[in-house]
Amino acid sequence: MARKKQPRVVLSWSDVEAAAQDLDEGPQALLRELAEAYTSDAGAESPVGLTGPWFLRSLQVQGHVGIGETPLVLKLPPTPGIVVISAPNGTGKTSAADALRHVLSGGVARKYELAEANLHYEDRTIQAVVTNGQDDVKISCSAVDAVRWQQPDGTDGPLPETWKSAYAQFSPVLLYPEISPVIEKPGLLHDFLKGGLPLDVLTRLLKLVDGVRTEGRTAQGKIEREHSAVLALVTKLAGAETLADLVRSSGPLPTAAQAAEIRTLTRALPRAVRRPDLPHNWILDKEAVERLKDAVNAVHEARVAVVPGADAVRAALESLVRSKGEHLEHLRIDDVCPVCGTTGVEWLATARTAADRLTTELETLNAAQRVADEQWRQLVPAALPGPLPAETRELLQRKFPDDGEFIERWERLSGRISGLKVHTASKELITDLFEESEQVGKWYGDVRSKIIAEYEDSISGTAVGGQQIEQWLDSVERERRACTRGVSAEKLSKAVEFWIKDTRASLFDPIAEQVIEYWGELNRDSDLHVTGLKLGGGTRQAGKVSISIAVGGTSVSPGPDAPKVLSTGQRNALTLATYLPRATQMKSPFRFLILDDPIHAFDSERVQYLARTLVELAKNFQIVVLTHDERLWRELRALGKHTRHFRLSRLPDGASTVQVADVTSPGMGFIEELDKVLGAEANQPLGSEAARTILALTMCRQALDTEIGDWVEILGRRAGWSGDRIAAARDKANDTRQQLDLLNAILAELGATRLNLQSFNPTIDALSSAAHGRAPEDADGKKRKQWIRQTRRMLQLIAGIEG
């Protein structure tokens, strides 16, 4: 039984060279040629190495999205662990995460819509400080400058390519706008998953190979078109059968020897015959013919109005009217008609009128004749045949012996046209001439095209044909290298595609197992299981993801649409399950993960599952979670994981000011606020001593009750209490002592040491009294300082439960 071929994993150029040993000489030679181009394309490695692992020390953001002029400053412990940053929606947590993504990625364009500019402050500044435990590096940018990398010695430059490449592969920042679209669109999911695989060497090589392949295809297409035109010519040439066979058998890319033989046979072809001297064909313009008919008709109408001899009559009348003879002068004076001798008939006026009328009629006739003659002159050469040349007559008779009738009709027609005065012709004669011309012209147009086609076929092996053959063979010599390299590129391209698919599968299989494992962790209570995940499709554009899902043991048809059976929360969980294996590979130089709103649409159980997952990851990674929901922080504390907790709040100043408060111990937050208020009162008192005492007791009581309440929530979950049970127990604990009793009851259930605060009973009594309006007297404020000091101590003891 044949052994299954092991997939080849190609990650480096040395891997490529090893894999190329299985290729033919052509692809191998091309690969050697591309080695130099590959090195140039890859570029020199940045002088700054990724001497990680890197942790995030701080982030400062100013003038970016929802953060205004007052900088938002986050100082983070640069060690493995978890930090939760909570904030109501619209407070600026996604603005901070997007700013971090922007500088760490080197300004890579985001794949979601976000207005970068802050409306209140346009001078953006972002600075992240990362550390590897030895060196702190500042990564920063402004509104106009590119991202810069500043080393501890103050030298700076662009972000190293090695850093940007690593960021693109491991993607240590995941924002909420990136979560749902990844599952909704299979193409995005494919890119998201494939982006975590180190395929840069192969994808860059494939790009170079594709460039050679494109050049080869272009060159091959050119010579194939020219070869087809040459073959069509020589196959029509009589006596060129040997040449036609050679052109056909050699193909578009003949060898040098074949090209030389083709040239020899081409030079031996007979010379071309003289091109037939054929009259141009005439084309009937029917609109122009109709205009000529109208002009001829106008001549006839004008002629009808003019009597015969009108010109002589007009001349005689003009003589009578204008003659200077003595006799006619007496006749004009005496009004005696020179024709009939009648007196008193005003013969002179009558003669003048008749002469003018005849002049007008004759001018109208002459004008109509000129129009008709001009239209005839313009129409004749284009729409009527001239005399049939003897050479043409002999050629037509020889080529088309059965068409003698049309030859005779042409000659009769040209004879009728010759010497014709169109202004004397009738409209019917004009119609007959052009109908005859149209019939003869149609016949002549057909036979003329056949004669020209025969002539062009006959010269295919001579001047024009020889030129085309030379042009094709010249192209062959110019494009031979591109075509040869293109053939090698086709083979090498297929090899690289196989390497990519093999490498992709080999690298992704363990990641897919982790995706399934994470999905199982985030969906422990569900009967919906992801049973398989594969990357498929092409290596260039058509990436595909096949997801296999089973519901209650019944498989859903695998494919990119399988996630449609998931709820919104499950889809977000699947996104996290696909993201975490990519971002938490131990070969990543980044030991931090930034998760923006990862528990969106999660129910309480799934929040608990995610908390367990993050606690495990936090053994090696610094995890920063930004969320509007504090359930995750409580679940993390319930699991015994010490978690720093910051809260963002927006000031109502209309300037997009975001404040940061450390609320890891919420009770301590009240005490710190109280210290600030009392410090301000000491410098410039505004209230009475009694008012300050009541304020101190009230805030100390709030601090103690809040801290105890948080620990009841945390330890209650750790003891397995449901949320409803915890809420009911807290409702029954109406004062501080009852809440302490509840906390101790949970500690006892967990087998932990009970909290003993009996030594602080006087202070607890004072706090309780103030809550009921019975504040103890404290004229000089000394007791107030003691209550604050002892409240701070009680808070420290409560915080020590986890230790």
Side-chain angles (χ1 to χ4, degrees):
M1 182 176 180
R3 294 181 59 185
K4 184 178 180 181
K5 184 179 179 181
Q6 292 297 317
R8 185 183 291 276
V9 177
V10 179
L11 299 176
S12 65
W13 184 251
S14 59
D15 292 338
V16 171
E17 292 175 331
Q21 298 304 313
D22 297 336
L23 301 177
D24 295 337
E25 174 57 29
Q28 280 196 42
L30 178 60
L31 191 59
R32 289 192 294 270
E33 178 189 334
L34 293 178
E36 182 178 349
Y38 171 88
T39 304
S40 173
D41 181 60
E45 285 296 316
S46 168
V48 181
L50 292 185
T51 52
W54 294 94
F55 292 89
L56 184 63
R57 184 180 292 281
S58 66
L59 172 67
Q60 180 172 315
V61 185
Q62 181 183 29
H64 182 74
V65 194
I67 300 172
E69 181 176 4
T70 302
L72 168 66
V73 180
L74 292 172
K75 295 183 178 180
L76 306 169
T79 58
I82 302 177
V83 175
V84 173
I85 301 173
S86 62
N89 286 327
T91 305
K93 60 183 185 301
T94 297
S95 301
D98 181 79
L100 188 60
R101 180 211 66 83
H102 182 76
V103 291
L104 293 183
S105 68
V108 171
R110 60 181 63 85
K111 297 179 181 179
Y112 49 89
E113 294 185 3
L114 192 70
E116 283 191 2
N118 181 266
L119 296 176
H120 307 290
Y121 190 72
E122 297 181 355
D123 190 11
R124 179 179 72 177
T125 302
I126 304 172
Q127 183 184 90
V129 178
V130 295
T131 180
N132 60 5
Q134 296 177 346
D135 299 321
D136 284 6
V137 173
K138 296 178 181 178
I139 305 175
S140 60
C141 75
S142 66
V144 294
D145 296 327
V147 177
R148 305 291 292 176
W149 170 282
Q150 183 178 352
Q151 299 184 81
D153 61 3
T155 60
D156 76 340
L159 200 64
E161 289 300 320
T162 45
W163 178 282
K164 290 194 289 187
S165 184
Y167 184 93
Q169 179 180 344
F170 299 107
S171 189
V173 180
L174 179 66
L175 277 79
Y176 171 69
E178 297 174 311
I179 294 178
S180 289
V182 168
I183 300 301
E184 294 287 348
K185 299 179 180 180
L188 292 179
L189 178 57
H190 181 277
D191 293 343
F192 185 75
L193 292 170
K194 182 183 174 185
L197 305 179
L199 298 174
D200 290 352
V201 169
L202 287 178
T203 54
R204 196 158 55 235
L205 175 59
L206 185 61
K207 181 179 179 181
L208 293 173
V209 175
D210 281 350
V212 176
R213 186 176 67 167
T214 299
E215 291 177 3
R217 287 179 174 179
T218 301
Q220 187 72 24
K222 180 180 186 331
I223 63 172
E224 284 179 354
R225 289 190 297 272
E226 293 182 3
H227 174 259
S228 296
V230 167
L231 185 59
L233 282 173
V234 298
T235 52
K236 294 178 181 179
L237 180 64
E241 291 79 7
T242 302
L243 175 62
D245 290 342
L246 181 56
V247 170
R248 184 181 297 106
S249 63
S250 67
L253 194 68
T255 64
Q258 289 172 328
E261 187 177 356
I262 290 172
R263 282 192 167 97
T264 300
L265 292 175
T266 301
R267 286 192 292 270
L269 290 173
R271 299 184 61 184
V273 297
R274 184 175 64 86
R275 182 184 181 90
D277 186 14
L278 298 172
H280 289 290
N281 193 19
W282 56 91
I283 301 174
L284 197 64
D285 184 346
K286 294 187 177 181
E287 291 184 359
V289 171
E290 290 302 317
R291 288 195 296 272
L292 176 62
K293 291 180 181 179
D294 292 340
V296 170
N297 194 53
V299 170
H300 290 306
E301 290 178 354
R303 184 174 288 116
V304 169
V306 178
V307 298
D311 194 46
V313 173
R314 180 186 62 77
L317 290 175
E318 288 287 345
S319 176
L320 291 173
V321 171
R322 293 182 175 81
S323 177
K324 301 296 184 180
E326 182 178 351
H327 174 69
L328 285 176
E329 185 63 26
H330 285 295
L331 292 177
R332 294 189 193 105
I333 295 172
D334 297 335
D335 191 20
V336 177
C337 176
V339 177
C340 62
T342 306
T343 61
V345 292
E346 297 184 349
W347 69 271
L348 185 60
T350 301
R352 284 175 176 165
T353 300
D356 290 344
R357 176 177 57 79
L358 288 173
T359 298
T360 300
E361 290 173 349
L362 288 170
E363 288 177 350
T364 299
L365 175 61
N366 291 334
Q369 288 176 345
R370 286 195 298 274
V371 170
D373 289 343
E374 178 61 23
Q375 291 194 11
W376 172 258
R377 185 185 66 79
Q378 294 179 3
L379 193 59
V380 166
L384 293 170
L388 179 61
E391 182 182 359
T392 303
R393 190 178 198 283
E394 187 275 330
L395 178 62
L396 293 175
Q397 288 175 333
R398 177 164 49 83
K399 292 286 185 182
F400 307 99
D402 296 334
D403 293 347
E405 175 192 351
F406 284 99
I407 297 174
E408 293 176 1
R409 289 172 66 180
W410 182 343
E411 291 180 324
R412 285 198 303 269
L413 182 61
S414 63
R416 295 173 66 189
I417 295 169
S418 177
L420 176 68
K421 296 184 180 301
V422 73
H423 61 264
T424 64
S426 65
K427 187 175 182 180
E428 290 73 16
L429 175 61
I430 298 297
T431 299
D432 180 63
L433 285 176
F434 283 107
E435 286 179 353
E436 180 73 0
S437 175
E438 183 177 17
Q439 294 174 14
V440 175
K442 184 178 182 306
W443 164 80
Y444 177 61
D446 291 341
V447 299
R448 185 179 188 279
S449 296
K450 292 177 181 178
I451 293 172
I452 296 299
E454 288 180 4
Y455 164 75
E456 290 178 347
D457 287 345
S458 71
I459 64 168
S460 63
T462 55
V464 175
Q467 290 174 2
Q468 285 196 324
I469 292 173
E470 286 298 326
Q471 180 181 339
W472 163 53
L473 294 178
D474 288 345
S475 296
V476 167
E477 293 309 309
R478 283 195 307 271
E479 307 294 348
R480 186 183 299 280
R481 180 174 182 272
C483 291
T484 303
R485 293 172 79 241
V487 172
S488 296
E490 294 285 353
K491 298 177 180 178
L492 182 56
S493 175
K494 293 179 180 178
V496 176
E497 289 175 9
F498 282 127
W499 297 341
I500 288 177
K501 291 178 180 179
D502 275 0
T503 303
R504 183 176 65 187
S506 298
L507 295 178
F508 185 68
D509 283 347
I511 292 178
E513 292 176 4
Q514 287 184 287
V515 171
I516 295 172
E517 181 180 339
Y518 277 120
W519 169 262
E521 288 293 321
L522 296 175
N523 292 271
R524 294 186 180 189
D525 60 339
S526 174
D527 64 348
L528 192 152
H529 303 283
V530 174
T531 58
L533 186 65
K534 291 185 179 297
L535 292 181
T539 55
R540 293 174 177 82
Q541 300 293 331
K544 298 178 182 178
V545 178
S546 178
I547 303 176
S548 300
I549 291 176
V551 181
T554 302
S555 295
V556 177
S557 297
D561 294 331
K564 290 182 178 180
V565 302
L566 305 180
S567 67
T568 301
Q570 287 173 324
R571 292 185 187 189
N572 291 344
L574 184 54
T575 301
L576 284 175
T578 57
Y579 168 76
L580 291 176
R582 169 179 178 175
T584 59
Q585 298 177 66
M586 293 309 295
K587 59 186 175 183
S588 168
F590 310 114
R591 285 297 182 270
F592 58 84
L593 299 180
I594 313 300
L595 305 176
D596 176 38
D597 242 345
I599 61 173
H600 176 76
F602 276 19
D603 54 30
S604 297
E605 286 75 13
R606 193 161 283 109
V607 174
Q608 293 176 12
Y609 304 151
L610 178 60
R612 292 191 183 98
T613 299
L614 295 183
V615 166
E616 189 64 27
L617 287 173
K619 294 176 181 178
N620 296 300
F621 288 88
Q622 174 194 21
I623 300 172
V624 180
V625 178
L626 297 99
T627 179
H628 69 282
D629 189 336
E630 297 192 359
R631 291 179 298 162
L632 180 61
W633 179 75
R634 294 195 180 97
E635 294 297 342
L636 290 167
R637 298 297 300 273
L639 293 172
K641 182 64 180 176
H642 179 72
T643 304
R644 290 291 297 276
H645 185 193
F646 296 101
R647 183 175 289 125
L648 306 184
S649 59
R650 188 178 293 282
L651 295 184
D653 58 359
S656 300
T657 301
V658 179
Q659 282 189 329
V660 182
D662 187 341
V663 292
T664 305
S665 171
M668 284 296 185
F670 282 104
I671 299 301
E672 290 172 3
E673 186 65 27
L674 176 60
D675 286 342
K676 292 178 183 178
V677 173
L678 293 178
E681 281 284 314
N683 295 327
Q684 187 176 357
L686 297 176
S688 64
E689 196 69 40
R692 286 192 285 275
T693 297
I694 292 174
L695 174 66
L697 290 168
T698 301
M699 292 190 72
C700 284
R701 166 74 184 272
Q702 286 181 321
L704 192 57
D705 287 354
T706 301
E707 192 75 19
I708 295 171
D710 265 12
W711 277 100
V712 166
E713 292 278 354
I714 292 166
L715 297 180
R717 283 175 168 76
R718 195 178 300 176
W721 290 21
S722 67
D724 290 341
R725 181 181 176 186
I726 294 172
R730 290 191 65 184
D731 288 342
K732 292 179 181 179
N734 296 318
D735 58 27
T736 302
R737 280 199 173 83
Q738 289 178 354
Q739 291 188 58
L740 279 171
D741 291 341
L742 175 58
L743 179 57
N744 277 322
I746 297 173
L747 285 169
E749 187 172 332
L750 290 170
T753 303
R754 293 169 61 89
L755 191 65
N756 186 357
L757 299 180
Q758 289 184 2
S759 62
F760 299 96
N761 279 342
T763 298
I764 294 174
D765 289 339
L767 302 184
S768 298
S769 298
H772 294 88
R774 300 188 301 275
E777 292 184 4
D778 182 30
D780 56 3
K782 291 182 179 179
K783 292 182 179 179
R784 180 174 69 245
K785 294 179 182 178
Q786 180 182 358
W787 295 328
I788 295 173
R789 186 168 57 251
Q790 292 198 344
T791 301
R792 181 179 280 110
R793 180 56 185 154
M794 284 189 283
L795 293 175
Q796 292 171 346
L797 291 172
I798 294 171
I801 291 173
E802 207 161 30

mmCIF file of all heavy atoms in Angstrom, residues 545-566:
data_model
loop_
_atom_site.group_PDB
_atom_site.id
_atom_site.type_symbol
_atom_site.label_atom_id
_atom_site.label_comp_id
_atom_site.label_asym_id
_atom_site.label_seq_id
_atom_site.Cartn_x
_atom_site.Cartn_y
_atom_site.Cartn_z
ATOM 1 N N VAL A 545 -14.145 29.305 3.814
ATOM 2 C CA VAL A 545 -14.075 28.716 5.142
ATOM 3 C C VAL A 545 -15.214 27.722 5.263
ATOM 4 O O VAL A 545 -16.364 28.033 4.956
ATOM 5 C CB VAL A 545 -14.206 29.790 6.250
ATOM 6 C CG1 VAL A 545 -14.186 29.132 7.617
ATOM 7 C CG2 VAL A 545 -13.080 30.798 6.146
ATOM 8 N N SER A 546 -14.891 26.519 5.685
ATOM 9 C CA SER A 546 -15.916 25.505 5.906
ATOM 10 C C SER A 546 -16.012 25.249 7.404
ATOM 11 O O SER A 546 -15.037 24.856 8.039
ATOM 12 C CB SER A 546 -15.571 24.212 5.159
ATOM 13 O OG SER A 546 -16.560 23.220 5.411
ATOM 14 N N ILE A 547 -17.177 25.525 7.968
ATOM 15 C CA ILE A 547 -17.409 25.329 9.401
ATOM 16 C C ILE A 547 -18.414 24.197 9.568
ATOM 17 O O ILE A 547 -19.501 24.229 8.989
ATOM 18 C CB ILE A 547 -17.949 26.614 10.053
ATOM 19 C CG1 ILE A 547 -16.976 27.771 9.820
ATOM 20 C CG2 ILE A 547 -18.180 26.412 11.545
ATOM 21 C CD1 ILE A 547 -17.469 29.101 10.332
ATOM 22 N N SER A 548 -18.036 23.193 10.342
ATOM 23 C CA SER A 548 -18.938 22.066 10.609
ATOM 24 C C SER A 548 -19.533 22.247 11.996
ATOM 25 O O SER A 548 -18.809 22.426 12.980
ATOM 26 C CB SER A 548 -18.180 20.736 10.523
ATOM 27 O OG SER A 548 -17.629 20.561 9.230
ATOM 28 N N ILE A 549 -20.853 22.202 12.054
ATOM 29 C CA ILE A 549 -21.572 22.427 13.307
ATOM 30 C C ILE A 549 -22.569 21.290 13.506
ATOM 31 O O ILE A 549 -23.213 20.827 12.556
ATOM 32 C CB ILE A 549 -22.297 23.793 13.289
ATOM 33 C CG1 ILE A 549 -21.263 24.929 13.324
ATOM 34 C CG2 ILE A 549 -23.257 23.931 14.458
ATOM 35 C CD1 ILE A 549 -21.868 26.313 13.223
ATOM 36 N N ALA A 550 -22.700 20.853 14.750
ATOM 37 C CA ALA A 550 -23.699 19.845 15.102
ATOM 38 C C ALA A 550 -24.581 20.400 16.215
ATOM 39 O O ALA A 550 -24.089 20.995 17.181
ATOM 40 C CB ALA A 550 -23.022 18.558 15.561
ATOM 41 N N VAL A 551 -25.885 20.230 16.065
ATOM 42 C CA VAL A 551 -26.846 20.682 17.076
ATOM 43 C C VAL A 551 -27.538 19.446 17.636
ATOM 44 O O VAL A 551 -28.237 18.729 16.912
ATOM 45 C CB VAL A 551 -27.880 21.650 16.467
ATOM 46 C CG1 VAL A 551 -28.850 22.113 17.551
ATOM 47 C CG2 VAL A 551 -27.188 22.843 15.830
ATOM 48 N N GLY A 552 -27.326 19.192 18.926
ATOM 49 C CA GLY A 552 -27.936 18.021 19.546
ATOM 50 C C GLY A 552 -27.526 16.728 18.886
ATOM 51 O O GLY A 552 -28.318 15.784 18.796
ATOM 52 N N GLY A 553 -26.309 16.695 18.366
ATOM 53 C CA GLY A 553 -25.819 15.495 17.710
ATOM 54 C C GLY A 553 -26.146 15.424 16.237
ATOM 55 O O GLY A 553 -25.674 14.523 15.541
ATOM 56 N N THR A 554 -26.968 16.363 15.724
ATOM 57 C CA THR A 554 -27.339 16.377 14.307
ATOM 58 C C THR A 554 -26.481 17.394 13.578
ATOM 59 O O THR A 554 -26.440 18.570 13.956
ATOM 60 C CB THR A 554 -28.823 16.735 14.129
ATOM 61 O OG1 THR A 554 -29.623 15.788 14.840
ATOM 62 C CG2 THR A 554 -29.205 16.733 12.653
ATOM 63 N N SER A 555 -25.814 16.950 12.529
ATOM 64 C CA SER A 555 -24.895 17.833 11.805
ATOM 65 C C SER A 555 -25.666 18.829 10.958
ATOM 66 O O SER A 555 -26.675 18.499 10.328
ATOM 67 C CB SER A 555 -23.961 17.008 10.912
ATOM 68 O OG SER A 555 -23.118 16.181 11.699
ATOM 69 N N VAL A 556 -25.165 20.058 10.960
ATOM 70 C CA VAL A 556 -25.650 21.096 10.055
ATOM 71 C C VAL A 556 -24.752 21.056 8.824
ATOM 72 O O VAL A 556 -23.555 20.793 8.930
ATOM 73 C CB VAL A 556 -25.571 22.486 10.727
ATOM 74 C CG1 VAL A 556 -26.014 23.583 9.759
ATOM 75 C CG2 VAL A 556 -26.419 22.509 11.988
ATOM 76 N N SER A 557 -25.341 21.289 7.652
ATOM 77 C CA SER A 557 -24.547 21.243 6.423
ATOM 78 C C SER A 557 -23.322 22.135 6.570
ATOM 79 O O SER A 557 -23.454 23.330 6.849
ATOM 80 C CB SER A 557 -25.384 21.717 5.225
ATOM 81 O OG SER A 557 -26.463 20.845 5.019
ATOM 82 N N PRO A 558 -22.121 21.568 6.424
ATOM 83 C CA PRO A 558 -20.907 22.377 6.610
ATOM 84 C C PRO A 558 -20.770 23.407 5.505
ATOM 85 O O PRO A 558 -21.280 23.235 4.403
ATOM 86 C CB PRO A 558 -19.782 21.349 6.548
ATOM 87 C CG PRO A 558 -20.345 20.229 5.727
ATOM 88 C CD PRO A 558 -21.820 20.177 6.039
ATOM 89 N N GLY A 559 -20.076 24.471 5.808
ATOM 90 C CA GLY A 559 -19.844 25.515 4.824
ATOM 91 C C GLY A 559 -19.843 26.877 5.471
ATOM 92 O O GLY A 559 -19.984 27.020 6.688
ATOM 93 N N PRO A 560 -19.712 27.924 4.656
ATOM 94 C CA PRO A 560 -19.635 29.274 5.202
ATOM 95 C C PRO A 560 -20.937 29.756 5.814
ATOM 96 O O PRO A 560 -20.937 30.678 6.618
ATOM 97 C CB PRO A 560 -19.246 30.124 3.983
ATOM 98 C CG PRO A 560 -19.711 29.330 2.804
ATOM 99 C CD PRO A 560 -19.548 27.896 3.190
ATOM 100 N N ASP A 561 -22.073 29.122 5.431
ATOM 101 C CA ASP A 561 -23.369 29.567 5.956
ATOM 102 C C ASP A 561 -23.769 28.847 7.237
ATOM 103 O O ASP A 561 -24.807 29.161 7.817
ATOM 104 C CB ASP A 561 -24.469 29.355 4.902
ATOM 105 C CG ASP A 561 -24.260 30.242 3.688
ATOM 106 O OD1 ASP A 561 -23.679 31.333 3.865
ATOM 107 O OD2 ASP A 561 -24.659 29.843 2.587
ATOM 108 N N ALA A 562 -22.968 27.895 7.673
ATOM 109 C CA ALA A 562 -23.322 27.140 8.870
ATOM 110 C C ALA A 562 -23.535 28.034 10.090
ATOM 111 O O ALA A 562 -24.445 27.792 10.895
ATOM 112 C CB ALA A 562 -22.248 26.083 9.161
ATOM 113 N N PRO A 563 -22.736 29.123 10.295
ATOM 114 C CA PRO A 563 -22.934 29.963 11.484
ATOM 115 C C PRO A 563 -24.279 30.684 11.537
ATOM 116 O O PRO A 563 -24.587 31.309 12.550
ATOM 117 C CB PRO A 563 -21.779 30.974 11.385
ATOM 118 C CG PRO A 563 -20.731 30.297 10.584
ATOM 119 C CD PRO A 563 -21.500 29.490 9.583
ATOM 120 N N LYS A 564 -25.092 30.601 10.487
ATOM 121 C CA LYS A 564 -26.379 31.289 10.513
ATOM 122 C C LYS A 564 -27.324 30.708 11.563
ATOM 123 O O LYS A 564 -28.318 31.336 11.925
ATOM 124 C CB LYS A 564 -27.035 31.248 9.124
ATOM 125 C CG LYS A 564 -26.305 32.113 8.106
ATOM 126 C CD LYS A 564 -26.999 32.101 6.753
ATOM 127 C CE LYS A 564 -26.273 33.025 5.772
ATOM 128 N NZ LYS A 564 -26.912 33.044 4.429
ATOM 129 N N VAL A 565 -27.012 29.497 12.037
ATOM 130 C CA VAL A 565 -27.862 28.903 13.081
ATOM 131 C C VAL A 565 -27.506 29.466 14.453
ATOM 132 O O VAL A 565 -28.187 29.173 15.431
ATOM 133 C CB VAL A 565 -27.716 27.364 13.095
ATOM 134 C CG1 VAL A 565 -28.072 26.787 11.741
ATOM 135 C CG2 VAL A 565 -26.308 26.939 13.503
ATOM 136 N N LEU A 566 -26.438 30.250 14.558
ATOM 137 C CA LEU A 566 -25.981 30.748 15.844
ATOM 138 C C LEU A 566 -26.720 32.017 16.235
ATOM 139 O O LEU A 566 -27.111 32.824 15.383
ATOM 140 C CB LEU A 566 -24.481 31.046 15.797
ATOM 141 C CG LEU A 566 -23.548 29.914 15.367
ATOM 142 C CD1 LEU A 566 -22.112 30.411 15.382
ATOM 143 C CD2 LEU A 566 -23.703 28.715 16.284
#
